[in-house]
Amino acid sequence: ECVQHLHEKGLVHGDIKMLNVVRLSLDNRLRLIDLDAAAEISAFGGDVSYVASKFSSAVLPPECFAKLNADQVTQFKSYFEGVDAELREKVAPKVDKRGASYVVKTFSLTEDGAPKRIDSLPYEPVEASVAVDYWSLGALLFQLVAGEPLVPSNRDDDCVNAKSMAILASWNDDAARKNLAVIKDAAAWDLASKLLVRDPEQ
């Protein structure tokens, strides 16, 4: 209901995860909190808006990840040069054993909240769409039913390493079958398999 309400208002939450769902003791109902990653849905006819300026990487869909070559890593680091150390650490490329670098397709904001020089990034940012929230709902459902996150993540729901990012970045039907096999409830499996799909159009 919360997500549907946001989408009807033209907003993508952008950070649906366990930490952002709370039960209010006043009426014992669930609430979706923390809208600092929210973005206007681009399809609503306004300016193009993007997701992942703020993020929890372990709940993002495949389209929000990029595998970078060495030149692109240099370009990425140059873009984030001068930001505070905490942000730089959060967005830093995660490198796997073979030397492949993975990042979230994030970007920095200007003081007025507009994307900063996105043309100097080594990738195209991801336009805000309801598909981002649907994937995150699938990741949340998976965690509730399986008792563990979709990919190894830390307490902030960020991917712990490049392997976690690679799983999400390269998600396909085979990965879905393999990962969703732990869900034994048929209805939960059916819903998760419809939410955790690679193609945002689906």
Side-chain angles (χ1 to χ4, degrees), residues 31-48:
R31 299 291 197 281
L32 185 59
I33 62 167
D34 198 2
L35 291 166
D36 64 346
E40 290 183 20
I41 298 171
S42 291
F44 269 59
D47 293 334
V48 174

Side-chain angles (χ1 to χ4, degrees), residues 140-149 179 182-183:
L140 178 60
L141 171 64
F142 180 91
Q143 187 169 3
L144 289 168
V145 176
E148 60 187 26
N179 285 277
V182 301
I183 300 177

Side-chain angles (χ1 to χ4, degrees), residues 178-199:
K178 180 181 168 193
N179 285 277
L180 300 184
V182 301
I183 300 177
K184 302 306 178 196
D185 180 273
W189 182 91
D190 183 61
L191 180 55
S193 69
K194 289 174 177 158
L195 293 169
L196 297 171
V197 292
R198 172 151 198 107
D199 184 356

